[in-house]
């Protein structure tokens, strides 16, 4: 398993160079899982191996330091949206162990989703650190409006795997993996269909940030803000839910 993960990270670093996206919103097809998913941070199910990744993350506010890459994939079935990240990281760090604490200061990955394209500024953000601790919010009034509605994700599953030593900058780590299963019912009342109907489109972004050493801001779809800001729903990418299994699936 460790060899498989290492190969995935190395492949991503070698191939995910340069600008990942042209102007306009990138698209990604979320295929059906096809096989059961066990949320354990290992990503060794055939469905994960077959799923395409979203492409290289970009660094819209880059200043200095190594641009450590991220390989992200998504899958779905009638009950869950599945998200996975493989994060190249020489110094893996996390301190926060309480839900809705400042996990974004740790090594952290995020899902921002606006599940009704007719209301693109109504969105959810779920932020998860390398300790599997998460922050979850619903933003019905759009970015920049602080309004805790009391919404909290239910039955969210998060698991991680670390190839390295947590919170020890004396050595050099390799990568960490986060796998999450988000029950689709959490988006009920906002999404047009729960679960999505095949062909449904959501606006969505995937982000990464935090950590004590070489903290970088990176994203699937770059925000066009002058300062680091992930709460920019106008800049989310688009995903489409397919009723097919991944075309890379080898039966």
């Amino acid at each position: 398993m460790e060899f498989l993960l290492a190969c995935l990270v190395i492949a991503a670093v070698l191939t995910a160079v340069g600008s990942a996206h042209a102007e306009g919103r990138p698209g990604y097809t979320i295929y059906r899982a096809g096989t059961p998913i066990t949320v354990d941070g290992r990503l060794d199910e055939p469905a994960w191996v077959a799923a395409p990744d979203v492409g290289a993350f970009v660094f819209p506010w880059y200043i200095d330091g190594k641009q450590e890459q991220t390989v992200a994939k998504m899958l779905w079935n009638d009950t869950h949206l599945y998200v996975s990240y493989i994060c190249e990281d020489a110094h893996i760090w996390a301190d926060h162990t309480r839900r809705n604490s400042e996990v974004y200061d740790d090594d952290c990955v995020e899902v921002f989703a606006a599940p009704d394209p007719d209301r693109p500024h109504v969105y959810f953000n779920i932020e998860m650190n390398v300790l599997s601790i998460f922050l979850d919010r619903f933003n019905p009034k759009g970015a920049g409006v602080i309004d805790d509605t009391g919404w909290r994700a239910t039955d969210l599953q998060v698991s991680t795997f670390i190839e390295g030593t947590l919170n020890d900058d004396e050595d050099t780590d390799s990568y960490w993996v986060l796998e999450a299963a988000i029950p689709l019912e959490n988006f009920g009342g906002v999404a047009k269909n729960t679960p999505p109907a095949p062909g449904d489109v959501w606006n969505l972004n995937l982000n990464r940030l935090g950590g004590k050493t070489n903290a970088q801001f990176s994203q699937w779809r770059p925000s066009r803000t002058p300062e680091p800001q992930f709460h920019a729903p106008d800049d989310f990418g688009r995903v489409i839910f397919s009723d097919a299994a991944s075309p890379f699936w080898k039966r």
Side-chain angles (χ1 to χ4, degrees):
M1 178 55 197
E2 286 76 11
F3 176 76
L4 170 63
L5 289 172
C7 288
L8 289 172
V9 172
I10 292 169
V13 173
L14 290 177
T15 61
V17 295
S19 176
H21 311 291
E23 287 299 317
R25 293 179 188 249
Y28 178 80
T29 299
I30 306 180
Y31 293 102
R32 279 195 171 269
T35 58
I37 300 292
T38 300
V39 181
D40 56 8
R42 297 287 174 167
L43 309 184
D44 51 3
E45 292 89 354
W48 276 132
V49 175
D53 64 78
V54 302
F57 274 34
V58 295
F59 296 76
W61 307 285
Y62 176 74
I63 297 175
D64 57 27
K66 183 178 181 181
Q67 296 183 2
E68 296 177 312
Q69 261 300 335
T70 304
V71 179
K73 299 182 177 185
M74 288 178 275
L75 294 165
W76 76 293
N77 59 23
D78 286 342
T79 58
H80 290 83
L81 172 66
Y82 298 96
V83 188
S84 69
Y85 309 77
I86 303 174
C87 304
E88 179 192 17
D89 200 334
H91 300 289
I92 304 170
W93 195 277
D95 292 317
H96 294 85
T97 59
R98 180 175 53 83
R99 181 173 179 174
N100 285 320
S101 56
E102 295 83 357
V103 297
Y104 44 77
D105 289 334
D106 300 329
D107 277 307
C108 175
V109 290
E110 305 177 342
V111 181
F112 280 48
D116 181 354
D118 293 335
R119 294 185 290 165
H121 296 119
V122 178
Y123 69 97
F124 301 83
N125 57 289
I126 300 174
E127 309 173 17
M128 303 163 284
N129 75 4
V130 72
L131 297 175
S132 303
I133 306 301
F134 59 90
L135 178 157
D136 47 343
R137 290 286 187 271
F138 174 47
N139 307 280
K141 298 180 181 179
V145 180
I146 300 175
D147 182 15
D148 189 350
T149 64
W151 177 88
R152 297 293 181 268
T154 58
D155 299 322
L156 178 65
Q157 303 174 58
V158 183
S159 186
T160 58
F161 173 84
I162 296 172
E163 184 62 34
T165 308
L166 183 68
N167 296 350
D168 182 2
D169 280 359
E170 296 300 318
D171 63 359
T172 300
D173 306 320
S174 296
Y175 59 89
W176 56 281
V177 180
L178 185 141
E179 180 179 18
I182 307 170
L184 290 164
E185 64 183 14
N186 284 300
F187 305 109
V190 178
K192 289 189 173 182
N193 299 294
T194 308
D200 277 4
V201 172
W202 290 12
N203 294 340
L204 183 149
N205 214 355
L206 304 174
N207 309 311
R208 179 180 168 193
L209 77 165
K212 181 180 178 181
T213 303
N214 192 37
Q216 300 280 346
F217 296 91
S218 60
Q219 302 177 276
W220 170 41
R221 172 60 160 100
S223 297
R224 293 172 293 177
T225 59
E227 301 294 331
Q229 180 56 264
F230 292 156
H231 292 264
D234 286 335
D235 295 327
F236 291 0
R238 288 194 175 99
V239 298
I240 184 169
F241 290 84
S242 172
D243 204 32
S246 168
F248 301 111
W249 174 250
K250 306 297 183 182
R251 290 181 171 83

